[in-house]
């Protein structure tokens, strides 16, 4: 709510980090985008349960909050010219 009042759009993304060595990241995979933290955490727990049942690779799951500031002063391109 506070973010909305400040003109910030907020979303949560669920990431899976796959490790190739104890301290080396092999790749990061985006698993989902959510409007609120509660839903992201629920999906994170579900992903952990599924992964634990099917694989033994070293991974980490996490929800990351992303905020975007609303701007009304955006340049628009018209006929190749910026206004």
């Amino acid at each position: 709510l506070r973010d909305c009042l400040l003109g910030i759009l907020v979303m949560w993304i669920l990431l899976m980090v796959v490790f190739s060595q104890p301290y080396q990241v092999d790749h990061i995979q985006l698993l989902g985008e959510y409007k609120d933290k509660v839903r992201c955490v629920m999906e994170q727990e579900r992903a952990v349960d599924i992964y634990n049942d099917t694989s033994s690779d070293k991974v980490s799951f996490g929800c990351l909050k992303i905020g975007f500031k609303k701007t009304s002063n955006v340049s628009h391109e018209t006929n190749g010219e910026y206004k």
Side-chain angles (χ1 to χ4, degrees), residues 73-77 82-83:
N73 200 8
V74 177
S75 296
H76 297 281
E77 186 177 349
Y82 288 97
K83 292 186 175 184

Side-chain angles (χ1 to χ4, degrees), residues 13-17 28-34 43-44 47-48 51 60-62:
I13 58 173
L14 176 57
L15 299 175
M16 177 177 71
V17 180
I28 299 172
Q29 186 169 351
L30 174 64
L31 299 180
E33 303 170 0
Y34 306 96
E43 292 301 317
Q44 176 186 355
V48 168
Y51 200 83
S60 182
F61 295 90

Side-chain angles (χ1 to χ4, degrees), residues 31-72:
L31 299 180
E33 303 170 0
Y34 306 96
K35 292 182 180 180
D36 59 76
K37 182 180 179 179
V38 172
R39 177 67 180 189
C40 187
V41 170
M42 286 173 46
E43 292 301 317
Q44 176 186 355
E45 292 170 353
R46 190 169 77 90
V48 168
D49 289 341
I50 292 169
Y51 200 83
N52 285 339
D53 288 342
T54 60
S55 183
S56 62
D57 293 337
K58 302 296 182 205
V59 299
S60 182
F61 295 90
C63 290
L64 180 65
K65 181 180 179 181
I66 305 286
F68 304 92
K69 184 160 177 71
K70 292 183 190 178
T71 59
S72 59

